[in-house]
Amino acid sequence: MKCLVLGSAAGGGFPQWNCACRGCTRARSGDPAARPRTQVSVAATHDGAHWLLIGASPDLRQQILQTPALFPSEGARHSPIASVVLLSADVDGIAGLLVLREQQALRIYAPAPILAILAQNQIFAALDSRIVERIELAPNTPIEAVPGLTLTLLPMPGKIPLYQEDRKSAVAEPGATYAARLDGAGRCAIIAPACAEYSDIVQQSLAPAHVLMFDGTLFTDDEMIASNVGQKTGRRMGHMPVSGADGSLAKLSAHAGRCIYLHINNTNPILLDDSLERAEVLAAGVDVAYDGMEIDV
Ligand SMILES: [Zn+2]
C-alpha cells in the first residue's frame, strides 16, 4: 500500500489567509524552515492505478495539480481518483467535493450523519448522483474501496462542525468524526485527523496500524489563545494537544508502528523545522507530515 500526503495542515492551511502569527508570517516570507502546507487530505492506493482520497480538502484542485499520480492518463476524460471517504463534515473535510464535479464517475463513502449533511446542502447536487455514487458506510464495517484496499471507518471522540454548533450541542457526539483504517496485503494504515481523547477504546482501535497518521492540530491546548488568534482551546475544538502528560505524543511514542502527525494548525510550532517542539516530537520517534510526503505502508 502506498499513501501520499496531499495536504498536512489543519483548516485554514499554512499560512492561513488572514493570520499573522509567528509561523504564518515566516511561511509567507518564503522561509525554507516554514514550508507552506495545504489543508488535510491523504491519497492511498494498492495497485497504483486506483486511488482513494481520505478527506476532500478545499485545496484539492491544487493538490491534484501537484501530484502526477493523480493526473488523467486514459482517454480524453479520466481520473485515477476512484473513491473518496469523508471522515467529518467540517469545511476542510468536504468542501473539496465541489472540485470533483465535471461529470466524472466516482464513489463517495461516508457514514449516515455526514451523508445527511451533504443532502441538506444543495450545492453538493453539483455532483450528479447518476454518476457520483454516495455510499453509506456503517462504522467498523470493512468495504473494498479501491482494488486491493479495504476501508473501515473507526469512530473517534470528536465534535460536530463549527457551522452546526447553533443547532446542536457542541460537545462530542457519536457520528461526528472518524478515522479511516486501510488494510491491504496484510499491512494496515490508519488516518485519524481528529481525535479529542486517546481513550482505551481509541488505543485499541489504532493499535493494528503499521502506519498511524494522527491529529497534530495543536502543540498545547491553549495555543490559539496564547497566540492571540482565538478564544478556544484545542479540546473545545475536538482536538487533543500534542504535549503534556495526557497529550498525544506520550501515547504515540508507545505505539508499535510508525506515527506521523498531520492536520497541523498554523499556530503549532512543530510546523517549523527549527523549533524545539519539532525536535521534541522527532526525539520521541514521531514524524511530522508535509505536503507531497510518500509513505510505503
Ligand atoms: Zn497563523
Side-chain angles (χ1 to χ4, degrees), residues 198 203 206-212 251-259 285:
Y198 210 97
Q203 193 273 330
L206 301 181
H210 297 102
V211 172
L212 171 59
K251 307 289 187 184
L252 297 186
S253 59
H255 181 81
R258 181 180 178 193
C259 296

Side-chain angles (χ1 to χ4, degrees), residues 4 17 19 44-45 59 61 74 90 93 97 100 113-114 129 140 159 173 186 194 202 208 232 242 253 271 279 282 284:
L4 289 177
W17 71 281
C19 189
T45 188
D59 297 320
R61 179 179 177 278
E74 295 170 19
D90 286 320
L97 288 178
L100 299 176
I114 297 176
S129 61
N140 301 308
K159 192 186 77 52
E173 58 178 78
V202 167
K232 288 181 183 169
V242 169
S253 59
L271 287 173
L282 296 181

Side-chain angles (χ1 to χ4, degrees), residues 19 21 24 266:
C19 189
C21 75
C24 285
N266 57 73

Side-chain angles (χ1 to χ4, degrees), residues 70-90:
L70 301 181
F71 291 177
S73 59
E74 295 170 19
R77 282 287 169 92
H78 164 258
S79 173
I81 298 169
S83 308
V84 185
V85 59
L86 306 176
L87 303 182
S88 82
D90 286 320

Side-chain angles (χ1 to χ4, degrees), residues 21-220:
C21 75
R22 189 169 60 101
C24 285
T25 302
R26 286 183 60 180
R28 211 172 274 116
S29 75
D31 184 333
R35 196 179 335 185
R37 286 165 164 87
T38 60
Q39 295 164 92
V40 71
S41 181
V42 175
T45 188
H46 177 71
D47 64 6
H50 302 84
W51 291 78
L52 169 69
L53 293 186
I54 298 97
S57 166
D59 297 320
L60 188 52
R61 179 179 177 278
Q62 176 188 347
Q63 292 167 345
I64 293 169
L65 291 175
Q66 290 171 350
T67 310
L70 301 181
F71 291 177
S73 59
E74 295 170 19
R77 282 287 169 92
H78 164 258
S79 173
I81 298 169
S83 308
V84 185
V85 59
L86 306 176
L87 303 182
S88 82
D90 286 320
V91 171
D92 60 334
I94 61 172
L97 288 178
L98 299 174
V99 173
L100 299 176
R101 64 198 192 282
E102 318 293 4
Q103 305 292 311
Q104 183 64 44
L106 77 151
R107 293 185 304 275
I108 299 170
Y109 294 104
I114 297 176
L115 287 182
I117 289 172
L118 295 188
Q120 287 159 14
N121 285 272
Q122 215 177 354
I123 194 167
F124 292 107
L127 295 158
D128 188 336
S129 61
R130 288 166 298 182
I131 52 175
V132 178
E133 262 186 288
R134 299 183 189 184
I135 300 166
E136 182 181 329
L137 204 51
N140 301 308
T141 307
I143 189 168
E144 189 175 40
V146 287
L149 269 195
T150 302
L151 163 68
T152 311
L153 285 178
L154 308 176
M156 289 285 122
K159 192 186 77 52
I160 58 168
L162 183 62
Y163 63 82
Q164 286 212 312
E165 284 193 359
D166 58 338
R167 291 187 232 169
K168 297 179 182 174
S169 123
V171 298
E173 58 178 78
T177 191
Y178 292 84
R181 174 175 172 167
L182 307 176
D183 290 274
R187 302 291 291 175
C188 175
I190 298 180
I191 296 114
C195 180
E197 188 195 354
Y198 210 97
S199 63
D200 289 345
I201 294 172
V202 167
Q203 193 273 330
Q204 285 165 25
S205 64
L206 301 181
H210 297 102
V211 172
L212 171 59
M213 293 181 235
F214 193 80
D215 183 347
T217 307
L218 299 182
F219 194 77
T220 46

